[in-house]
Amino acid sequence: MSVNPEKKFGLLFFLVFLIIGLWPLLKNNDIRIWAIIISLFFLISSILSLKFLVPMNKLWIKLGEQLGKYVAPIVLSLIYFLILTPIGLFMRLIGKDLLNLKFSKKNSYWINRQKDLGKIDKQF
């Protein structure tokens, strides 16, 4: 059973604003009435499947796409330059060649196996 995407959007924002509204209770503060009102608004509109959730959902999706265009390359670049590059430099420094990429003048790069693998008729 598929749920309407606008209904999912409305329920998601209902939960988000409900959490925002009730969060101060954890520190014995007063609840945020404005957030509770907004959460009830999203709950009612998602139950009644009101049409104004459609443009809000499309706007939300566009925001996610734009964030993904910029955040993903930044995070992947940070991972590459802060984690993978130092590991690679360290491995070169200690002389490791884990992928066996060093140039060799021998006739073949085939690796002779020490152990017989047996028949491979029934792989699965």
Side-chain angles (χ1 to χ4, degrees):
M1 182 169 116
S2 179
V3 179
N4 187 358
E6 284 74 30
K7 185 173 263 192
K8 287 182 184 179
F9 171 77
L11 291 174
L12 171 72
F13 273 86
F14 160 70
L15 285 174
V16 167
F17 281 106
L18 184 67
I19 290 170
I20 291 171
L22 297 177
W23 193 265
L25 288 177
L26 293 175
K27 295 183 180 181
N28 294 326
N29 294 333
D30 294 334
I31 63 173
R32 296 180 179 126
I33 300 296
W34 61 270
I36 300 296
I37 291 170
I38 294 173
S39 71
L40 291 175
F41 169 75
F42 276 108
L43 177 66
I44 292 168
S45 60
S46 64
I47 290 173
L48 298 177
S49 295
L50 299 178
K51 298 297 178 192
F52 66 87
L53 286 179
V54 174
M56 292 171 68
N57 188 19
K58 287 182 181 178
L59 190 70
W60 181 251
I61 289 173
K62 295 245 187 247
L63 175 69
E65 289 172 352
Q66 292 301 313
L67 280 174
K69 277 184 187 177
Y70 300 107
V71 172
I74 291 170
V75 169
L76 290 176
S77 297
L78 287 173
I79 289 171
Y80 181 79
F81 288 114
L82 296 177
I83 296 173
L84 295 178
T85 302
I87 290 173
L89 291 174
F90 177 72
M91 293 304 246
R92 282 190 180 187
L93 191 67
I94 63 173
K96 288 281 186 180
D97 185 21
L98 297 177
L99 296 178
N100 205 12
L101 295 176
K102 289 182 183 172
F103 181 73
S104 175
K105 292 185 180 183
K106 58 186 178 182
N107 291 337
S108 174
Y109 283 97
W110 283 93
I111 300 170
N112 292 326
R113 295 209 180 260
Q114 304 297 331
K115 179 181 166 186
D116 183 25
L117 297 178
K119 291 186 176 183
I120 56 171
D121 293 340
K122 298 180 181 177
Q123 295 182 22
F124 304 104

